[in-house]
C-alpha cells in the first residue's frame, strides 16, 4: 500500500484511526507491517502490500482460488476486448472525469473493473473478502491512486461518509445476507454520492438452470478438485456448444448446461473455452447464490433512503443506480 492512503483506513470494529507499526518498504510501497488501533489494541497485518482485516480462510475461498487461477481472463488488457470497460461505463454512467473524487469498489475479484475505475481519475479503494485481492494487486497494484484491502462487507475499514462513488458488481448474491450486504454500502457515501450495484435475477427460469442442482453436490468442495471436475464437465459439453453456435435456440439450451459466452464474446475457441471454464466454475463453487427480483431490489434502495432510484433488468440480471440524499 502507498503510505498516503493510510488516512483512508479505520479500525472496522471501532471506526477509529489506525497507526502504522513495523513497516517494511519495497520502493515507495509498504510491503509488510501492522495497523494498530491504540485505544482497543486491535491490530491488523499488512502482507504482500495489502492490509488484511479478515481471516485468511473464509467462505470466499473458492473465489480466491478462482480469481488467482483466472486472474487475466476477464481483463480487457488480456482479452483485447472492451467488455469490462463497457460494462463499467454503462452500469455506472458516471463518466470519465472524476479526478479528485474517492471511489469504493466493493468486491473486486481479480480486478476486471479496477483499471476502468482508475481511468476516471478518481482515487480508488478496492477490497475483496477473498485473497483475490492478490490477483488484483498483481495486475493493478502499482497504480498510485489505488488502495487494495482484504476486508468484509459487514465490517468495512472505512469511515462512514467517505466516498463520492461506490460500486458493487457481481458480489451481493454470493454473500451470506445479500440485503444486509447491500445496506452496508450507502453509509459509505457522502451526501449526494452515487451508488451502482447489481445482483442475479430471481425468476422461474432459474428452475431450469443446472447450476442450482449441481451446487447441491459441489458447493463448499475443495476448489482444486472442483476445478478439475469443471474442466472435464465443460469438455464433455464443448463439442455440442460449438455445434449449435450461431443457433439462438441451441445456444440458449447449452447455456443452461455450461457457461458458454459465445453470444457476446467474439474470440477464438481457446479463449471461449477459458471463459466457459471460469464461469462454469463460478456457477458450481459459491457457498451462497441468492438472486432477487427487480421489485425486491428496488425496495432495498427505498429502505436505505436513497433517491434517484433506477432499478431494472440489465447486466448480471438486475442493475441499479441511486443517489444518497
Amino acid at each position: 500500500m502507498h503510505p498516503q492512503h493510510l488516512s483512508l483506513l479505520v479500525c472496522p470494529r471501532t471506526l477509529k484511526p489506525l497507526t502504522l507499526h513495523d513497516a517494511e518498504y519495497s520502493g515507495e510501497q509498504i510491503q509488510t507491517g501492522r495497523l494498530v488501533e491504540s485505544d482497543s489494541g486491535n491490530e491488523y497485518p499488512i502482507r504482500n502490500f495489502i492490509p488484511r482485516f479478515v481471516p485468511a480462510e473464509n467462505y470466499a475461498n473458492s473465489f480466491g482460488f478462482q480469481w488467482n487461477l483466472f486472474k487475466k481472463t476477464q481483463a480487457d488488457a488480456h482479452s483485447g476486448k472492451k467488455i469490462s470497460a463497457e460494462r463499467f461505463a454503462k452500469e455506472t454512467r458516471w463518466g470519465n472525469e472524476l479526478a479528485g473524487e474517492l471511489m469504493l469498489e466493493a468486491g473486486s475479484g481479480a480486478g476486471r473493473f479496477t483499471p476502468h475505475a482508475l481511468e476516471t481519475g478518481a482515487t480508488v479503494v478496492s477490497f475483496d473478502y477473498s485473497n483475490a485481492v492478490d490477483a488484483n494487486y498483481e495486475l493493478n497494484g502499482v497504480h498510485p491512486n489505488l488502495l487494495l484491502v482484504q476486508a468484509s462487507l459487514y465490517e468495512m475499514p472505512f469511515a462512514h461518509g467517505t466516498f463520492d462513488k461506490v460500486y458493487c458488481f457481481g458480489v451481493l448474491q454470493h454473500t451470506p445476507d445479500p440485503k444486509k450486504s447491500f445496506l452496508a454500502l450507502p453509509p459509505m457515501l457522502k451526501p449526494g454520492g452515487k451508488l451502482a450495484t447489481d445482483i442475479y435475477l430471481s425468476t422461474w427460469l432459474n428452475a431450469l438452470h443446472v447450476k442450482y442442482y449441481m451446487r447441491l453436490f459441489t458447493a463448499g468442495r475443495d476448489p482444486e478438485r472442483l476445478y478439475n471436475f469443471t474442466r472435464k464437465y465443460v469438455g464433455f459439453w464443448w463439442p455440442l456448444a460449438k455445434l449449435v453456435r450461431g443457433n439462438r435456440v441451441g445456444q440458449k439450451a447449452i447455456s443452461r448446461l455450461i457457461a458458454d459466452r459465445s453470444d457476446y464474446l467474439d474470440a477464438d475457441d481457446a479463449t471461449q473455452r477459458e471463459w466457459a471454464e471460469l464461469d462454469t466454475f463460478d456457477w458450481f463453487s459459491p457457498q451462497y447464490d441468492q438472486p432477487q427480483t427487480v421489485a425486491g431490489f428496488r425496495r432495498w434502495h427505498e429502505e436505505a433512503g436513497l433517491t434517484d432510484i433506477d432499478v431494472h433488468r440489465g447486466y448480471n440480471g438486475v442493475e441499479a443506480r441511486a443517489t444518497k440524499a
Side-chain angles (χ1 to χ4, degrees), residues 110-130:
R112 66 177 294 191
F113 300 114
T114 307
H116 310 299
L118 290 165
E119 286 168 2
T120 67
T123 293
V124 178
V125 179
S126 177
F127 75 92
D128 200 277
Y129 192 50
S130 77

Side-chain angles (χ1 to χ4, degrees), residues 123-318:
T123 293
V124 178
V125 179
S126 177
F127 75 92
D128 200 277
Y129 192 50
S130 77
N131 64 8
V133 289
D134 293 300
N136 196 346
Y137 183 86
E138 185 176 331
L139 296 178
N140 304 299
V142 298
H143 199 290
N145 285 355
L146 176 64
L147 169 61
L148 281 167
V149 178
Q150 188 173 2
S152 168
L153 267 167
Y154 303 134
E155 285 189 337
M156 287 182 271
F158 318 114
H160 289 186
T162 295
F163 298 95
D164 301 280
K165 305 287 192 296
V166 173
Y167 71 95
C168 182
F169 297 157
V171 174
L172 294 173
Q173 65 274 348
H174 293 315
T175 62
D177 187 336
K179 182 178 180 180
K180 180 181 177 182
S181 301
F182 172 80
L183 292 175
L185 298 173
M188 294 294 110
L189 285 165
K190 298 175 181 177
K194 304 292 185 180
L195 176 67
T197 56
D198 63 26
I199 197 164
Y200 286 174
L201 175 66
S202 177
T203 169
W204 66 269
L205 289 172
N206 290 353
L208 303 179
H209 206 301
V210 69
K211 70 175 181 178
Y212 293 107
Y213 302 100
M214 290 291 288
R215 197 175 288 133
L216 296 173
F217 307 99
T218 60
R221 302 296 182 186
D222 174 73
E224 188 169 355
R225 292 180 64 185
L226 179 56
Y227 170 64
N228 290 332
F229 165 78
T230 302
R231 289 190 66 191
K232 294 175 183 177
Y233 176 85
V234 171
F236 176 81
W237 291 108
W238 197 244
L240 180 60
K242 292 171 66 175
L243 182 65
V244 301
R245 197 159 291 165
N247 181 298
R248 186 175 179 182
V249 175
Q251 281 189 281
K252 278 189 173 294
I254 200 68
S255 68
R256 298 282 171 181
L257 297 170
I258 61 172
D260 179 31
R261 305 307 187 196
S262 59
D263 56 341
Y264 70 82
L265 179 62
D266 181 18
D268 59 66
D269 186 71
T271 301
Q272 293 278 9
R273 183 159 176 170
E274 183 180 340
W275 278 64
E277 290 177 357
L278 162 61
D279 287 348
T280 304
F281 181 84
D282 191 70
W283 283 359
F284 294 163
S285 62
Q287 186 171 344
Y288 303 100
D289 184 332
Q290 303 177 76
Q292 305 295 319
T293 64
V294 173
F297 202 37
R298 182 180 292 111
R299 281 195 296 273
W300 296 359
H301 287 70
E302 294 167 350
E303 289 179 32
L306 298 166
T307 63
D308 304 324
I309 298 169
D310 176 19
V311 182
H312 55 270
R313 293 194 183 198
Y315 284 103
N316 223 34
V318 187

Side-chain angles (χ1 to χ4, degrees), residues 3-195:
Q4 66 268 27
H5 293 152
L6 177 61
S7 62
L8 297 174
L9 297 172
V10 299
C11 174
R13 298 170 187 167
T14 67
L15 300 183
K16 293 182 178 180
L18 297 165
T19 55
L20 178 64
H21 296 258
D22 304 326
E24 294 186 6
Y25 289 77
S26 176
E28 297 182 353
Q29 292 203 57
I30 303 166
Q31 184 172 5
T32 62
R34 296 181 298 123
L35 296 174
V36 180
E37 197 274 278
S38 57
D39 291 342
S40 66
N42 294 335
E43 65 174 70
Y44 310 93
I46 300 172
R47 293 195 305 271
N48 297 327
F49 305 97
I50 299 173
R52 315 280 178 161
F53 294 91
V54 297
E57 298 294 318
N58 54 60
Y59 74 81
N61 284 344
S62 67
F63 288 111
F65 174 87
Q66 168 183 321
W67 294 123
N68 279 287
L69 182 64
F70 291 100
K71 61 174 66 75
K72 294 183 179 180
T73 301
Q74 292 183 330
D76 289 355
H78 172 69
S79 69
K81 311 297 179 182
K82 295 184 178 180
I83 294 173
S84 297
E86 290 179 359
R87 178 173 165 185
F88 177 81
K90 290 179 179 179
E91 279 210 67
T92 63
R93 301 184 189 175
W94 293 337
N96 211 35
E97 297 180 1
L98 302 179
E101 295 196 9
L102 280 173
M103 185 185 300
L104 179 64
E105 177 179 41
S108 70
R112 66 177 294 191
F113 300 114
T114 307
H116 310 299
L118 290 165
E119 286 168 2
T120 67
T123 293
V124 178
V125 179
S126 177
F127 75 92
D128 200 277
Y129 192 50
S130 77
N131 64 8
V133 289
D134 293 300
N136 196 346
Y137 183 86
E138 185 176 331
L139 296 178
N140 304 299
V142 298
H143 199 290
N145 285 355
L146 176 64
L147 169 61
L148 281 167
V149 178
Q150 188 173 2
S152 168
L153 267 167
Y154 303 134
E155 285 189 337
M156 287 182 271
F158 318 114
H160 289 186
T162 295
F163 298 95
D164 301 280
K165 305 287 192 296
V166 173
Y167 71 95
C168 182
F169 297 157
V171 174
L172 294 173
Q173 65 274 348
H174 293 315
T175 62
D177 187 336
K179 182 178 180 180
K180 180 181 177 182
S181 301
F182 172 80
L183 292 175
L185 298 173
M188 294 294 110
L189 285 165
K190 298 175 181 177
K194 304 292 185 180
L195 176 67

